[in-house]
Amino acid sequence: CYAHIAKGGVPIKYYLEGGAAEYFAQKVTDFFKDSAKKFPDDDLSEKILVWLQGESDAGTDDCYDNYIANLGLLWTKAKKLGFTKLLIIRVGYWGLKTVSGVMRAQEDYCQKTENAYMITRAMSYFKHPTLNEEGWFNVPPTEEYCDCRDSFFGFNNNHINEKGFKVIADRAVPNILRILNGEEPVLEEENIIPLM
């Protein structure tokens, strides 16, 4: 079972306070109850939160400290709702190179937090039409990381397209299976210079 809960262009605090946080908690609670009713004979002990967010938190030089603290608050709330694992898809570049602070916060949080895992860095390696790649990529991204945004096909936005989502899934799914089998994820080699 899965439920999609998303809002584009919002900081992590959006999910921590106010109406959206209350809605998130209610939707999660209802989803867990509905799942238990619909699948009474299944093992529903693993409740996994897959997290892909952070671009909107990249606006300041201190975004690392703010983001890692808020990620901790989010995971504390999520565990109280019943989640057992936090799986993070590392955020990508969306116009500000300070997003590397958010990327580092996500990596560090997963390293130090029990049951929190990075499941792919792939999105961080996607090309972006406004990115000055000098000083950003250690090596130029391979073909698989190119044309993964709508803008590369003439659309007036930089959202991830079908190709991009397939690349993310191809990297994330084997790591999800590893984690559920008690193994560590196998991540892509780091390619973002500010994180090396």
Side-chain angles (χ1 to χ4, degrees):
C1 301
Y2 70 92
H4 183 247
I5 305 171
K7 169 79 171 124
V10 295
I12 193 171
K13 280 194 167 199
Y14 180 82
Y15 294 95
L16 297 176
E17 54 194 34
E22 292 169 14
Y23 178 70
F24 176 80
Q26 187 60 56
K27 186 167 182 175
V28 167
T29 301
D30 292 345
F31 174 70
F32 289 161
K33 286 179 185 175
D34 290 346
S35 297
K37 286 179 188 174
K38 189 167 184 173
F39 303 100
D41 299 325
D42 289 358
D43 178 2
L44 302 178
S45 58
E46 286 286 8
K47 295 174 176 66
I48 299 170
L49 175 59
V50 179
W51 188 251
L52 171 53
Q53 185 278 337
E55 308 94 336
S56 297
D57 292 279
T60 62
D61 289 334
D62 65 348
C63 65
Y64 172 91
D65 294 328
N66 292 329
Y67 196 84
I68 204 165
N70 285 322
L71 196 54
L73 294 172
L74 175 79
W75 183 226
T76 297
K77 286 181 155 233
K79 287 189 292 187
K80 287 179 182 174
L81 292 171
F83 284 104
T84 57
K85 287 186 174 50
L86 172 64
L87 306 184
I88 296 178
I89 297 168
R90 194 170 81 182
V91 73
Y93 175 85
W94 288 84
L96 297 170
K97 288 191 174 181
T98 52
V99 76
S100 65
V102 173
M103 292 176 189
R104 184 177 303 283
Q106 291 174 334
E107 291 276 349
D108 289 353
Y109 191 79
C110 290
Q111 288 294 317
K112 71 175 190 168
T113 306
E114 185 178 14
N115 293 319
Y117 301 89
M118 182 68 59
I119 55 173
T120 182
R121 297 172 175 153
M123 193 171 148
S124 299
Y125 305 156
F126 290 174
K127 286 183 163 269
H128 189 283
T130 68
L131 174 62
N132 176 356
E133 296 179 12
E134 185 177 331
W136 187 252
F137 294 122
N138 185 43
V139 295
T142 57
E143 174 59 33
E144 66 188 327
Y145 299 116
C146 298
D147 301 328
C148 290
R149 298 175 187 269
D150 287 340
S151 51
F152 289 105
F153 294 97
F155 298 97
N156 190 23
N157 72 70
N158 294 310
H159 293 116
I160 306 304
N161 59 28
E162 182 180 6
K163 178 186 177 188
F165 284 123
K166 285 181 177 179
V167 170
I168 291 168
D170 285 346
R171 302 302 178 284
V173 170
N175 280 328
I176 293 169
L177 295 175
R178 286 183 187 102
I179 291 163
L180 293 176
N181 286 320
E183 303 168 27
E184 289 298 312
V186 177
L187 296 173
E188 304 86 350
E189 185 175 339
E190 186 58 75
N191 194 33
I192 304 299
I193 291 173
L195 275 72
M196 301 179 91

